[in-house]
Amino acid sequence: MSTNYEAFHQALKSAKHIATLCGAGLSAESGIPTFRGEGGWWRNYKATELATLSAFKRNPSRIWEFYNYRRGLVLQKTANKAHKALVDFENKILSQKPQTQTFTVITQNVDGISSNLKNYIEMHGNLFRTRCMQCGDIEENRDFPICEGLKGTENSKFDIDLPIEKLPACTKCKGLLRPDVVWFNELLDPKITSKIQVELDRCDLLLVIGTSGFVYPAAGYSEYVRSRGGKIAIFNIENTGNADFKFIGPCGETLPQALQV
Ligand code: BV8
Ligand code: ZN
């Protein structure tokens, strides 16, 4: 396992298909809390208990208060040096004449901060899209608060139990909207998982950036790439997991240096 940038730069130059698997740590330096540790709690619920269909069905108001709070938080945040490094590196690859390498960013994050990338796969959906529980209509929506009834609830310590008719409603059929994200125990969009499979099947260098590797199927990706002979580089503040390259520290510092951007 190497922690030296020179060796990594060699591997980066000789790789044909470079991909990333990003997690909440990519956005941590933008001030967006991660799921582990203090960031994983909201009021006194664990995020993993709130990000489920059953929690939404049981108490749609509480879950919309949670997502409205996260939307409001993300809307005030900006991209950090790690997000910028991914964009700059993608531009570098795309301006190769002829293009001899591919670069694809696969992210678990739903904050949409990297959406200015060209080859970008959001595995778990996006906070700023809604989906109708009735007719399935999907809309972009960056309103904050997302509905009148949720105004000013983002800092309240207690649930406000809005009645369903006051929660976000579909403009087409008036049905109850949900955030267009993948909740725990929900299947990922098969169109997305097949795009990811194409990338994993050809990836010879996977950058695993700011993820604790708990959540499946993302958590299985580096094993899969390694089993096919691909190399793994971990960018994390914790020294976890095994990899060919490890850069321990804030990815806002390590990634620009590793990608030479
Ligand atoms: C599914 C959207 C089929 C919602 C999210 C196999 C084994 C065990 C369990 C399962 C399995 N297969 C399926 C499961 C169940 C489940 C699962 O994995 N559970 C876990 C908890 C064990 N998986 C699913 O349900 C998935 N669906 O598999 O469908 C199926 C269907 C039914 C039944 C079975 C199977 C769907 C999972 C998607 C869940 N949705 N997000 C929302 O966000 O509201 S997951 C959500 O949490 C995030 O998207 C992200 O994926 C995850 C958090 O993980 P990380 O991103 O890694 O963040 P975390 O805070 O954990 O870590 C941050 C890291 O950054 C840390 O390592 C830290 O050290 C580091 N860091 C911090 N600062 C920095 C830094 N690094 C660098 N620089 C810094 N500055
Ligand atoms: Zn509808």
Side-chain angles (χ1 to χ4, degrees):
M1 186 273 291
S2 154
T3 55
N4 86 19
Y5 285 99
E6 288 66 46
F8 179 74
H9 294 155
Q10 287 316 313
L12 197 59
K13 274 197 192 63
S14 50
K16 285 277 149 284
H17 301 293
I18 306 157
T20 76
L21 173 63
C22 304
L26 174 71
S27 299
E29 290 157 81
S30 297
I32 298 174
T34 65
F35 287 76
R36 303 277 162 259
E38 80 300 327
W41 296 82
W42 174 74
R43 291 187 186 154
N44 51 2
Y45 308 106
K46 266 174 72 85
T48 40
E49 286 150 10
L50 295 169
T52 66
L53 181 60
S54 48
F56 183 69
K57 287 189 168 162
R58 222 182 2 262
N59 189 332
S61 175
R62 176 186 298 159
I63 304 311
W64 263 119
E65 289 165 54
F66 174 51
Y67 281 90
N68 182 61
Y69 154 72
R70 287 173 65 190
R71 290 162 52 101
L73 185 101
V74 170
L75 284 170
Q76 295 160 9
K77 305 298 181 192
T78 52
N80 63 49
K81 288 188 282 186
H83 294 113
K84 196 172 164 330
L86 294 176
V87 173
D88 294 347
F89 185 71
E90 180 181 63
N91 289 336
K92 212 166 140 183
I93 295 284
L94 295 180
S95 50
Q96 288 173 348
K97 302 257 181 303
Q99 191 180 333
T100 54
Q101 297 174 297
T102 66
F103 178 59
T104 306
V105 170
I106 302 167
T107 186
Q108 302 171 85
N109 296 342
V110 294
D111 57 34
I113 294 192
S114 293
S115 45
N116 49 351
L117 285 161
K118 295 183 188 55
N119 292 339
Y120 177 60
I121 305 176
E122 277 179 335
M123 304 175 55
H124 295 154
N126 188 303
L127 285 175
F128 300 104
R129 269 200 318 267
T130 59
R131 187 164 84 226
C132 175
M133 298 286 281
Q134 210 97 336
C135 72
D137 179 55
I138 291 179
E139 301 287 343
E140 289 288 324
N141 177 314
R142 298 181 75 81
D143 299 345
F144 182 70
I146 186 159
C147 62
E148 213 27 56
L150 286 173
K151 199 176 179 71
T153 61
E154 54 280 7
N155 301 319
S156 87
K157 292 271 166 291
F158 306 100
D159 295 346
I160 55 156
D161 288 334
L162 267 187
I164 285 221
E165 52 279 2
K166 289 215 178 343
L167 290 174
C170 175
T171 49
K172 301 218 163 38
C173 77
K174 297 270 166 283
L176 175 65
L177 295 180
R178 59 166 280 177
D180 188 29
V181 298
V182 179
W183 277 327
F184 285 98
N185 289 327
E186 289 191 321
L187 290 166
L188 276 67
D189 177 341
K191 286 193 299 306
I192 290 192
T193 44
S194 47
K195 265 175 81 178
I196 291 173
Q197 200 54 51
V198 165
E199 293 307 330
L200 297 179
D201 286 342
R202 65 179 189 175
C203 174
D204 47 8
L205 178 60
L206 181 69
L207 314 185
V208 180
I209 306 166
T211 180
S212 59
F214 277 116
V215 175
Y216 285 82
Y221 291 172
S222 36
E223 253 338 283
Y224 181 78
V225 168
R226 189 205 311 280
S227 71
R228 291 183 37 267
K231 294 219 177 311
I232 308 296
I234 288 183
F235 295 79
N236 202 304
I237 50 172
E238 289 166 346
N239 187 350
T240 56
N242 45 11
D244 302 277
F245 302 94
K246 254 194 206 172
F247 299 101
I248 307 302
C251 57
E253 310 304 322
T254 58
L255 203 56
Q257 214 177 334
L259 296 180
Q260 296 179 293
V261 287

